[in-house]
Amino acid sequence: MTASSAADELALVSVRNIHKAFGSLAVLRGISLDLAAHEVVSLIGSSGSGKSTLLRCINGLESIDAGEIWVGGEDVSEPGYKGDALRSSIGMVFQQYNLFPHMSVLDNVTLAPRKVRKVAKAEATERANRLLARLGLAGKANEYPDRLSGGQQQRVAIARALAMEPQVMLFDEVTSALDPELTGEVLDVLRELRTDGMAMVVATHEMNFAREVSDRVMFLDGGVVVEQGPPADIFDAPQQLRTQQFLERTRRQ
Amino acid sequence: MSDPSGPAAPLDVSGAPLSPVVPYVDPERIAKVQRKARNNITISVVSTVVFVAVLIGFIASLPGWPAVQKQFFNPTDFKASFPSVVEALWLNIRIFAVAEVLILILSLAIALVRLSRVPWMLPIRAAATGYVDFFRGTPTLLVVYLLTFGVPQLQLPHVPNSAVFWATVSLVLSYSAYVSEVFRAGITSVHPAQQAAARTLGLSNTQTMRYVVLPQAVRRVIPPLLNDFASLQKDTALVSVVGPVEAMRAAENYANVNFNYTSFIVAALLFIALSLPVARFTDRLMAKQRKKTSAGGAL
């Protein structure tokens, strides 16, 4: 950590002017994002605006073409950077849950702590059971993912990520595959995480939820941040035409 | 409320349904389903009996049948050739058992090598690709001939020169090429999202392969894998061309001495009997797995 400003030192994650293209399709075109401890940032915008790609870049699932990503005082976007340790400190939850179908719920949750953190099986199991109980999944430990409802599966996915005790959680449209009732039970979990002080970046289509939990809302369009600010500013008094149009469309639905 | 489907759920005084709600099943509907199932069984039994009777009647009516029956389906020769063929089958079983294990190990290793992207592995990767191309393109019979007659002439130190040894090696080399492609297809069929999920948890590439991708891939390729092993069980008979007396060769010996081919029917039945346990075992295994991991359904 040399020559970094006070603001940078406070940031858990610092994304600096990153670019990312898939072939000739530019998905991210100069995006910056600083995430402070305990801060909740929501990413809103249409499908294809770059929300998911930004999240995938932050924990190294995608390499970037230009810019820098700093996590915990390290430039993790440097080509050749070994990302395994980084990823274990950043939890990520996906739209399609991506649970391991051949493992029980308990094994899904204990796999990474046991294999990556080398936690003893008994301890990992005990911690997993506590987590599952907290997320309303007590008694589901020995079930297999395909036998659970979508909302239950998504909560297992959240428990699986939390089991690694991450400093930051990334949520990639985690309720998009769920009906309103199941969406509610997953969002409740996110609210609780916020209360606990977890730093989160949440890509979401749930505007009311974004308004309620976010410290800051970023509107992405065409791979750039068009507008950002406190939820009240963005939702009640958007300055940019594109933001106004986007919010207008989502309200009409 | 003139709902014909059955009594409405009972209500308590406040009007809310009593819990737990007792599931209601229409007895008439169940009776209908059971009647249909019984009908289906009757129809399939009758159809099988008719089909077999017609087939047997047709074959027995052919002018050459009496001669064929004497030469291929002779009970006396069946009894006489049975012991020697069964005894020889033991060699097939041993070759199969050893080859199967070696093929599983070698083919999985080849599949993993071909899928690895580590730079220093390039020469090994190229060799693995060449190996698969070569052995998939060469008839197994030819490999058996070449290795069994050719390699012993090199006089390799500390390596057995027996025909059984080299014929088994040939089967292992030939089949590993096929089976490695089965494994490779299985591994690539696991959705990339599974790897992404594993990597976000901090698992290394190797750990992701070991705990997340391979277990799913192996479950998926069990049916084609057993298909290849059923084929291998029969191909142990190829060993006969270079000398060793296995079931096929024993049947041939009997036929040559007694001018009767019933011994081949004996060998055929024994090979079939050998393959059945594996087939049923797989069916059971797959059903058990499905039941454990997935929700039920009508289809």
Side-chain angles (χ1 to χ4, degrees):
Chain A
M1 275 237 280
T2 51
S4 50
S5 70
D8 290 339
E9 282 180 44
L10 283 177
L12 284 178
V13 174
S14 178
V15 176
R16 299 174 188 174
N17 196 25
I18 63 168
H19 290 252
K20 171 72 183 174
F22 294 107
S24 59
L25 180 71
V27 180
L28 301 180
R29 300 186 296 139
I31 287 197
S32 297
L33 160 65
D34 279 330
L35 184 73
H38 312 304
E39 191 182 19
V40 177
V41 172
S42 288
L43 307 176
I44 61 170
S46 343
S47 301
S49 58
K51 306 188 297 288
S52 291
T53 307
L54 174 57
L55 293 180
R56 293 172 69 89
C57 286
I58 290 177
N59 76 348
L61 280 182
E62 306 283 357
S63 60
I64 58 175
D65 300 332
E68 289 175 3
I69 299 174
W70 290 70
V71 177
E74 271 187 287
D75 181 359
V76 299
S77 60
E78 190 72 15
Y81 178 82
K82 294 265 179 260
D84 294 347
L86 155 78
R87 280 187 282 263
S88 67
S89 71
I90 299 181
M92 181 154 182
V93 184
F94 303 86
Q95 180 177 350
Q96 295 296 341
Y97 336 128
N98 299 356
L99 293 175
F100 306 134
H102 60 296
M103 292 182 188
S104 68
V105 165
L106 184 67
D107 289 341
N108 264 278
V109 179
T110 56
L111 177 71
R114 286 175 56 201
K115 301 304 172 190
V116 179
R117 292 274 156 78
K118 312 290 180 203
V119 176
K121 187 174 179 179
E123 195 191 333
T125 303
E126 197 200 312
R127 270 163 45 185
N129 280 326
R130 268 208 307 273
L131 256 176
L132 290 170
R134 209 181 115 199
L135 299 193
L137 293 162
K140 299 290 182 195
N142 295 316
E143 279 292 359
Y144 281 78
D146 286 352
R147 303 180 70 140
L148 302 178
S149 76
Q152 288 169 336
Q153 289 191 54
Q154 195 59 294
R155 282 182 284 150
V156 173
I158 295 172
R160 181 176 69 175
L162 290 176
M164 289 300 280
E165 298 175 336
Q167 297 183 312
V168 178
M169 287 283 284
L170 309 175
F171 292 92
D172 187 4
E173 294 181 22
V174 291
T175 60
S176 294
L178 302 174
D179 68 33
E181 189 177 358
L182 299 180
T183 296
E185 69 186 43
V186 170
L187 294 185
D188 282 343
V189 173
L190 268 66
R191 288 189 184 96
E192 201 180 312
L193 285 178
R194 180 199 157 76
T195 313
D196 292 351
M198 176 68 76
M200 304 192 267
V201 183
V202 185
T204 185
H205 289 302
E206 301 285 331
M207 297 304 153
N208 292 332
F209 176 74
R211 174 199 286 266
E212 170 198 336
V213 303
S214 311
D215 297 304
R216 187 151 48 104
V217 177
M218 296 174 86
F219 170 62
L220 272 64
D221 190 33
V224 295
V225 179
V226 174
E227 191 168 354
Q228 61 176 311
D233 291 1
I234 297 292
F235 289 110
D236 299 330
Q239 301 299 308
Q240 300 294 323
L241 181 63
R242 275 190 288 171
T243 317
Q244 291 161 6
Q245 287 170 336
F246 172 76
L247 290 172
E248 187 57 33
R249 272 203 308 279
T250 60
R251 273 182 202 124
R252 245 184 283 139
Q253 276 159 13
Chain B
M1 278 261 281
S2 60
D3 184 4
S5 63
L11 302 176
D12 71 9
V13 281
S14 71
L18 286 172
S19 61
V21 177
V22 184
Y24 176 69
V25 182
D26 181 353
E28 223 172 280
R29 196 183 161 81
I30 293 302
K32 221 181 259 178
V33 169
Q34 284 170 345
R35 208 155 50 233
K36 183 99 173 78
R38 273 196 303 273
N39 274 349
N40 284 349
I41 293 173
T42 315
I43 292 170
S44 40
V45 168
V46 170
S47 121
T48 308
V49 169
V50 170
F51 185 80
V52 170
V54 167
L55 194 66
I56 290 176
F58 171 71
I59 292 173
S61 74
L62 292 171
W65 170 245
V68 169
Q69 186 181 26
K70 207 168 141 237
Q71 277 197 316
F72 287 86
F73 298 95
N74 190 320
T76 320
D77 286 296
F78 193 96
K79 265 184 229 142
S81 63
F82 195 80
S84 64
V85 179
V86 167
E87 201 193 328
L89 187 71
W90 178 232
L91 179 59
N92 296 76
I93 294 174
R94 279 181 298 165
I95 292 174
F96 173 73
V98 172
E100 186 185 39
V101 175
L102 295 177
I103 289 167
L104 279 175
I105 298 169
L106 183 59
S107 59
L108 184 58
I110 291 166
L112 290 174
V113 163
R114 291 195 68 185
L115 287 167
S116 110
R117 268 168 284 159
V118 188
W120 66 263
M121 293 267 279
L122 177 73
I124 307 173
R125 205 151 54 229
T129 308
Y131 166 87
V132 172
D133 287 347
F134 180 83
F135 281 99
R136 276 206 309 177
T138 317
T140 309
L141 185 59
L142 199 86
V143 179
V144 172
Y145 271 123
L146 283 180
L147 289 194
T148 312
F149 294 142
V151 180
Q153 295 193 31
L154 290 173
Q155 302 183 354
L156 288 167
H158 314 301
V159 176
N161 280 335
S162 82
V164 171
F165 177 81
W166 284 106
T168 308
V169 169
S170 310
L171 288 175
V172 170
L173 292 177
S174 198
Y175 269 80
S176 294
Y178 287 100
V179 175
S180 75
E181 287 297 279
V182 171
F183 273 125
R184 200 160 70 107
I187 291 169
T188 47
S189 79
V190 176
H191 198 282
Q194 288 287 310
Q195 288 180 47
R199 300 308 305 279
T200 57
L201 290 168
L203 268 69
S204 68
N205 257 326
T206 313
Q207 287 172 325
T208 300
M209 182 56 81
R210 161 81 181 76
Y211 299 110
V212 175
V213 178
L214 259 191
Q216 295 184 59
V218 167
R219 279 176 180 80
R220 276 180 212 187
V221 300
I222 282 176
L225 215 53
L226 279 138
N227 204 30
D228 280 346
F229 283 146
S231 178
L232 172 67
Q233 276 186 337
K234 298 175 298 176
D235 274 357
T236 53
L238 289 177
V239 174
S240 68
V241 299
V242 288
V245 181
E246 46 68 68
M248 170 81 187
R249 182 61 165 245
E252 199 181 341
N253 289 347
Y254 182 91
N256 287 342
V257 173
N258 299 283
F259 305 107
N260 186 289
Y261 300 116
T262 306
S263 54
F264 284 118
I265 299 295
V266 171
L269 291 176
L270 287 172
F271 274 112
I272 293 171
L274 200 60
S275 71
L276 285 181
V278 181
R280 290 299 88 80
F281 173 72
T282 328
D283 293 346
R284 187 109 44 95
L285 200 74
M286 303 291 292
K288 203 174 136 197
Q289 188 62 35
R290 241 191 332 268
K291 212 169 147 193
K292 197 167 81 171
T293 58
S294 47
L299 292 177

